[in-house]
Amino acid sequence: MKKLIFLLVAMSTLSQFSLTAQDKTYPQTEPMKPGMSEWWVPQPKKVTPGVINQQAAITAPSDAIVLFDGKDLSAWENTKGEKAGWRVHDGILTVDKSTGDIRTKQKFENFQLHLEWMVPEDITGTGQGRGNSGVYLQGMYEVQILDTYNNETYSNGSTGSIYKQSAPLANVMRKPGEWNVYDIIYSAPVFKADGTYRIPPTVTVIQNGVVIQNHTTILGTTEYVGFPRVVKHGEGPILLQSHGDKSEPLSFRNIWIREL
Ligand code: MG
């Protein structure tokens, strides 16, 4: 009898414990909104860049892989792996927003990337809706392209930001209709077996001869809503963004890369 009572008491205690565990509720995580990962102050200080040759800032060195030399898009494809649809004309490449992002067919690890970009002189729109594009390193991490010559936005979404992670050290924009130059030095991440970073990716960005990201640690994927995520990956393409804003499409030229 004593054994039976002990058993009944034990069972009752156990079931109470499991009920308690099941019934306990915790607060729901609040849904993230885009503005929660945007900051506006301080704004990047304005720096007037030195004079560059508006014909082509610097042509490809002998060991570079030329990704766009003004002639064709043979090094590029759309994100379905089909022919890239952007418009090649007059030695430049203009975004065609109806055809989406484009990426290099070749994939890369560590590199030095040179590219030049220009928002049209008659650009319209405000904030993020004014000449928005971007360069995705290894197809994962966006260095922002935007017309911020006379256009404020959240600092960590400004031109040369690691989008929503790291604001640029300065605003070195040339005015619409003039070419901007990006030189990007990128070190790919090294992953642990569990998929987290052993060494996170880092990037240095020079715009028009001025350092705007100085060996910046990239925290993870580029997210419009929420926090960066760490996603294990290998080599990846250079991807150029076709942004969904309504402003006039921008153009690129003189794109080359050196593997490091
Ligand atoms: Mg962008």
Side-chain angles (χ1 to χ4, degrees), residues 24-86:
K24 188 166 182 182
T25 56
Y26 294 92
Q28 292 289 307
T29 303
E30 284 186 44
M32 291 290 291
K33 295 176 186 162
M36 290 176 173
S37 53
E38 298 164 6
W39 68 82
W40 287 74
V41 284
Q43 284 286 310
K45 65 174 181 184
K46 287 200 173 182
V47 173
T48 305
V51 176
I52 59 164
N53 182 353
Q54 285 292 309
Q55 295 310 305
I58 185 166
T59 54
S62 61
D63 65 348
I65 298 163
V66 175
L67 298 175
F68 178 68
D69 65 358
K71 297 193 183 86
D72 64 65
L73 277 177
S74 55
W76 300 79
E77 61 187 15
N78 68 18
T79 53
K80 293 178 188 154
E82 300 159 349
K83 197 172 185 300
W86 292 10

Side-chain angles (χ1 to χ4, degrees), residues 68 86-89 92-97 101-102 115-124 128-135 142-148 159 173-174 176-180 182 207 240-253 255:
F68 178 68
W86 292 10
R87 198 161 67 91
V88 177
H89 62 103
I92 67 175
L93 168 63
T94 298
V95 180
D96 179 343
K97 295 187 187 185
D101 302 340
I102 64 170
L115 63 100
E116 300 174 23
W117 53 273
M118 178 186 69
V119 295
E121 202 171 352
D122 59 353
I123 188 78
T124 59
Q128 293 286 309
R130 187 179 172 92
N132 196 330
S133 181
V135 193
E142 182 184 11
V143 178
Q144 176 69 301
I145 288 177
L146 188 71
D147 174 32
T148 51
T159 302
M173 281 299 298
R174 291 186 186 284
E178 294 186 358
W179 288 93
N180 287 273
Y182 268 1
Q207 181 183 1
L240 300 178
Q241 184 185 44
S242 164
H243 191 268
D245 70 83
K246 298 282 187 287
S247 68
E248 297 70 18
L250 71 162
S251 301
F252 294 87
R253 72 176 184 189
I255 308 175

